[in-house]
């Protein structure tokens, strides 16, 4: 099993890139990253060859060497919000917006996860997809069903993908065929899943449970409070949705007339903790941002979904300036892709739309634009902080664990003869002509790359996905 | 050579989809399209098997049969605006906007196309890329250089991709190292390229020349007028940029103080004809739209580029309502992808952003949203009308020519065992579980597909690209 097979001490040799801070992307053209048998980074050397690196580190002479050719190592992506059971609906949304989309597409597929054979097929395929796209950590919504939620945790553990796996709670405003029967059963089922997941991975190195009230409109105030208490009693992570769409916000106002805001609904239920992930956060007021910051709750920005469902343009720059901790989420199947790299691009597009929404049409608000480096930060270190792993993953530093992807790019033949397309070899959609600098190669990957470029994926130094092309 | 090899009478069997009108996408699950030795569609049968189709059409008993499995036939895409020499810069734009992007990235690479070896490498690779993405017709900007422009036409003809190929004219405000020396030389060079291209393909079935003033800021009024005269004398197509970015519009106002608008600059030079393609058209006034409509000039909408360069959100619905003819353009390398399928998605996202820019934030202007069908129309029939081929390509109708792509989707194994990812077989990023209807399969392709799904491409019934997977 991927998650438990022993690993050898390995030197990852060649170019690497990672984020040092929100604005600072380091691109090292000649590096050596030493990873020990526990998957922990023992050294990171820059501008050295293999022999020099070995000489500097006693005991590494016999280490296995894995060299990247025509590419670079990059930290694994963190997906801070997605719905595994909705995977078969990817790309199906038409012109719907959030509330009718739930009824038309989402509840029918989720309710079918009482069938474990079906659940196995879909979850296994989706974990394959997220791994293939370089996602080494993923916060998953499952469904209401305990057995299939636990199955998702089993699959993640077996495949070696770090995951937060949440049984979905919903005791109102959901269809009769798909809701928790009572607050007591909602809490008991959530607890059962928490216990199962903690049993299969007691230290929580790979999989952890996460308490998952779907969102305020589908939970009664008492249910939310009971889940807030459960979060405190179990010290578990929490995930939910917030302030995604204006109709949803109006609905929350109507359903919770005593609350001063959407944020206040969760705060009242003690659901805003340092281990809480709030997905979307598109339309938060200044006051709500302050409360979320004070509670140290985290934000999952899901730009593809927000655009596809016409939910709105999340003002990420403002949220960053307000001191909030932000990662990216694919939000399948509101989002239309399992790829965080696609989400990096979508975050950049949304930030440009925010810039173009500036009241002065003649001069876009350029401060709103996210740079490539900033979006990559959100996809790695930002996401790691959202799921509480900022000290363990997200960058290449001594003492951190090696969660990484090997990115390879395609070279274009010197002469472009018919049939010589240049992208069959190393593979993928990115064409490198040979004169590009390393920063430009990273940009080409960000704006043109896909899963074909992600030829190997490691979690804690253990290979969890490979296209077979990384040892060419 | 692809463009001249003889073809056999062929029945394309299986599902197909195409646009009947702007809003009406026909998806036929069981079709038969008969294509004769000239590449012309002889019949289109719905809901019939092979034998029935043969019986109905005398003389087709011996025809070759090409059946699509796990997928469907779709018309080839029309790319109404792209810059072939900028292909190596794809993905490189950082936070620049139009005018500094030209200086930093564009002029340096274009000027290097005096080197024919380099031009051959880049052009050949780019034509491979556009073909692999299902583009059967493409309007290309080349560079200022006659020999490499002619080489691009040679490559398109040899590979069998329909193309409009334009030598770029620019006699001012361009760097000294990259501009036409005089109006006379600009006209003479353009004429030389027109003559060459008409010589290699006298009937213009595959390649045609197109007069290409870069854009108003890089051409003097006299140069524009001389090119307007050349367009009239040669009855050639014309392509240029218009109203892309607010700084550019201000610059045009400054450079052409006697013109009432950007549109008026071209109109004064007699460059607005029924054979003119205007790329971008993001910020046109109502008056400008009327003039363009009156002259029957066409619009190339380039959403990826407009977003990447923060140029603005083109109000496509308003332009459609104004009666303008619109297609899609990748605008590489302002745009970050050679794929019109990506542009279909980007057109949909931009339309959603226009909807969300509505003055009433609480209720998006849903009328602005483009449907999947509408975006596909722009990519096929809309584009065909932009390049003057609306009677020949863009749909599957008797008498039209067979420009098509075979789309295959990946099936997910019944059990999702480890290693059984389900997307290695038929290939590509789209997962089909088996319960989807044909409309849903098309949606899944549109929102999740890429060149891996495009396994075969035909122009006039001739195979011009294949991944080797279409006769599985």
């Amino acid at each position: 099993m991927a998650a438990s097979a022993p690993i050898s001490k390995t030197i990852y040799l060649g170019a690497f890139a990672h984020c040092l801070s929100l604005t600072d992307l380091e691109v090292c053209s000649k590096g050596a990253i030493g990873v020990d048998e526990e998957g922990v980074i023992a050294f990171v050397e820059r501008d050295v060859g293999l022999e020099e690196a070995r000489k500097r580190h006693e005991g590494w002479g016999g280490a296995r060497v894995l060299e990247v050719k025509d590419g670079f190592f990059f930290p694994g992506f963190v997906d801070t919000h997605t719905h595994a059971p909705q995977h078969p609906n990817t790309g199906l949304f038409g012109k719907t917006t959030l509330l009718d989309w739930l009824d038309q597409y989402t509840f029918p597929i989720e309710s079918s996860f009482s069938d474990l054979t079906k659940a196995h097929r879909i979850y296994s395929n989706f974990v394959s997809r997220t791994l293939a796209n370089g996602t080494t950590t993923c916060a998953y919504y499952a469904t209401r069903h305990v057995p299939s939620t636990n199955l998702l945790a089993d699959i993640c553990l077996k495949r070696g993908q770090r995951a937060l796996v949440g049984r979905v709670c919903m005791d109102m405003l959901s269809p009769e065929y798909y809701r928790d029967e009572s607050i007591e059963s909602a809490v008991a089922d959530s607890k059962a899943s928490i216990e199962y997941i903690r049993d299969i991975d007691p230290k929580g190195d790979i999989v952890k449970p996460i308490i998952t009230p779907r969102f305020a409109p589908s939970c009664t105030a008492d249910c939310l409070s009971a889940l807030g208490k459960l979060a405190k009693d179990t010290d578990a992570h929490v995930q939910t949705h917030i302030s995604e769409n204006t109709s949803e916000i109006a609905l929350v106002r109507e359903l919770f007339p005593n609350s001063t805001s959407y944020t206040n609904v969760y705060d009242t239920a003690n659901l805003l903790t340092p281990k809480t992930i709030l997905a979307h956060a598109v339309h938060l007021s200044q006051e709500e941002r302050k409360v979320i910051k004070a509670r140290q709750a985290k934000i999952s920005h899901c730009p593809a979904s927000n655009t596809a469902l016409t939910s709105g343009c999340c003002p990420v720059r403002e949220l960053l300036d307000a001191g909030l901790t932000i990662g990216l989420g694919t939000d399948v199947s509101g989002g239309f892709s399992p790829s965080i790299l696609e989400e990096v691009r979508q975050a950049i597009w949304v930030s440009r739309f925010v810039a173009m929404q500036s009241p002065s049409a003649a001069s876009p608000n350029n401060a709103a634009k996210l740079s490539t480096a900033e979006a990559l930060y959100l996809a790695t270190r930002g996401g790691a902080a959202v799921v509480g792993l900022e000290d363990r993953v997200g960058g290449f530093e001594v003492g951190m664990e090696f969660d990484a992807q090997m990115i390879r790019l395609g070279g274009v033949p010197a002469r472009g003869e018919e049939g010589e397309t240049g992208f069959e070899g190393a593979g993928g959609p990115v064409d490198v002509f040979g004169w590009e600098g390393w920063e430009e190669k990273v940009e080409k990957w960000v704006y043109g790359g896909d899963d074909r470029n992600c030829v190997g994926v490691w979690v804690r130094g253990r290979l969890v996905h490979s296209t077979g092309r990384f040892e060419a």
Side-chain angles (χ1 to χ4, degrees), chain A:
Chain A
M1 295 205 304
S4 57
I7 56 172
S8 345
K9 204 158 62 172
T10 304
I11 298 174
Y12 294 87
L13 195 70
F16 69 82
H18 66 153
C19 298
L20 300 175
S21 69
L22 178 63
T23 52
D24 194 4
L25 175 73
E26 178 186 16
V27 184
C28 169
S29 60
K30 201 179 166 196
I33 301 172
V35 178
D36 70 19
E37 295 91 336
E38 302 299 313
V40 175
I41 297 174
F43 61 83
V44 180
E45 294 291 343
R46 289 150 174 95
D47 304 316
V48 297
L50 178 61
E51 291 320 311
E52 179 64 22
R54 280 179 157 150
K55 241 183 269 169
R56 289 189 194 179
H57 300 278
E58 206 179 325
W60 285 77
R64 192 174 68 115
V65 176
L66 213 157
E67 185 173 3
V68 56
K69 300 201 174 123
D70 314 316
F72 53 90
F73 293 101
F74 195 80
F77 288 133
V78 180
D79 186 344
T80 58
H81 179 70
T82 201
H83 297 260
Q86 295 176 22
H87 169 51
N89 285 346
T90 299
L92 306 182
F93 44 84
K95 283 188 173 185
T96 60
T97 55
L98 180 61
L99 301 177
D100 51 329
W101 169 83
L102 283 170
D103 283 332
Q104 190 173 335
Y105 293 106
T106 305
F107 293 143
I109 184 98
E110 286 195 13
S111 68
S112 73
F113 276 65
S114 51
D115 175 346
L116 276 173
T117 304
K118 185 175 179 182
H120 189 275
R121 183 180 180 215
I122 294 169
Y123 283 156
S124 189
N125 184 249
F126 191 56
V127 172
S128 295
R129 282 288 183 199
T130 56
L131 280 173
N133 282 285
T135 297
T136 49
T137 302
C138 193
Y140 288 112
Y141 266 60
T143 65
R144 221 181 60 58
H145 314 91
V146 176
S148 56
T149 299
N150 294 348
L151 175 64
L152 176 55
D154 289 336
I155 291 169
C156 293
L157 182 60
K158 185 176 171 197
R159 306 285 292 276
Q161 182 184 51
R162 295 186 205 261
L164 297 170
V165 178
R167 191 201 80 88
V168 177
C169 303
M170 41 201 293
D171 74 330
M172 73 164 181
L173 268 196
S174 319
E176 288 224 7
Y177 66 83
Y178 186 53
R179 67 164 79 166
D180 288 317
E181 280 167 28
S182 66
I183 294 173
E184 293 68 30
S185 74
V187 171
D189 284 355
S190 296
K191 214 169 158 182
S193 186
I194 292 170
E195 284 167 3
Y196 179 86
I197 294 169
R198 287 184 170 169
D199 190 52
I200 61 171
D201 188 7
K203 287 162 66 188
D205 282 330
I206 299 294
V207 290
K208 291 180 195 170
I210 184 163
I211 295 170
T212 307
R214 177 168 216 108
F215 69 153
S218 59
C219 297
T220 59
D222 288 345
C223 183
L224 291 173
S225 293
L227 294 172
K229 181 170 181 308
L230 183 65
K232 192 172 179 194
D233 293 346
T234 57
D235 190 30
H237 290 266
V238 174
Q239 64 185 348
T240 190
H241 300 90
I242 198 166
S243 200
E244 178 173 358
N245 157 303
T246 53
S247 307
E248 169 215 21
I249 296 167
L251 179 61
V252 170
R253 201 175 296 125
E254 192 184 308
L255 293 169
F256 299 87
N258 299 325
S259 286
T260 55
S261 69
Y262 202 152
T263 299
N264 182 248
V265 172
Y266 293 137
D267 198 30
T268 304
N270 295 312
L271 280 165
L272 298 185
T273 80
K275 296 175 91 170
T276 297
I277 305 172
L278 300 167
H280 301 299
V282 175
H283 306 281
L284 293 177
S285 69
Q286 300 292 343
E287 181 57 30
E288 290 180 281
R289 295 174 191 175
K290 279 183 201 154
V291 173
I292 292 169
K293 167 124 168 65
R295 304 293 178 265
Q296 300 177 58
K298 313 298 193 287
I299 304 291
S300 174
H301 174 42
C302 306
S305 168
N306 295 337
T307 300
L309 297 181
T310 334
S311 299
C313 297
C314 181
V316 174
R317 176 70 62 206
E318 291 180 24
L319 300 186
L320 287 169
D321 288 347
L324 296 175
T325 301
I326 308 175
L328 298 181
T330 57
D331 193 30
V332 165
S333 66
F336 47 86
S337 166
S339 160
I340 285 290
L341 186 63
E342 174 67 37
E343 221 63 40
V344 164
R345 293 189 283 261
Q346 293 289 332
I348 290 168
W349 311 149
V350 164
S351 78
R352 277 150 164 69
F353 286 111
V354 172
M356 293 190 283
Q357 277 178 339
S358 156
S360 162
S363 59
N365 168 22
N366 287 318
K369 289 189 192 178
L370 293 178
S371 67
T372 310
E374 288 173 321
L376 290 173
Y377 178 91
L378 298 182
T380 55
R381 289 196 190 253
V386 167
V387 298
L389 291 175
E390 63 274 27
D391 296 330
R392 294 173 71 173
V393 306
F396 299 131
E397 285 178 23
V398 173
M400 290 179 88
E401 297 170 13
F402 190 70
D403 281 22
Q405 7 179 1
M406 184 194 280
I407 304 301
R408 291 192 69 192
L409 306 173
V412 178
R415 276 190 62 81
E417 291 304 328
E418 182 170 3
E420 272 195 13
T421 51
F423 46 95
E424 301 293 344
V430 179
D431 290 311
V432 171
F433 286 82
W435 55 70
E436 298 87 347
W438 278 101
E439 282 76 10
E440 291 182 324
K441 288 184 196 173
V442 172
E443 296 266 338
K444 283 194 164 193
W445 166 61
V446 169
Y447 292 100
D450 66 25
D451 53 311
R452 284 171 281 188
N453 300 106
C454 176
V455 300
V457 181
W458 291 263
V459 172
R460 301 181 81 209
R462 184 166 282 116
L463 186 70
V464 293
H465 170 78
S466 159
T467 62
R469 277 178 172 158
F470 72 95
E471 290 188 293

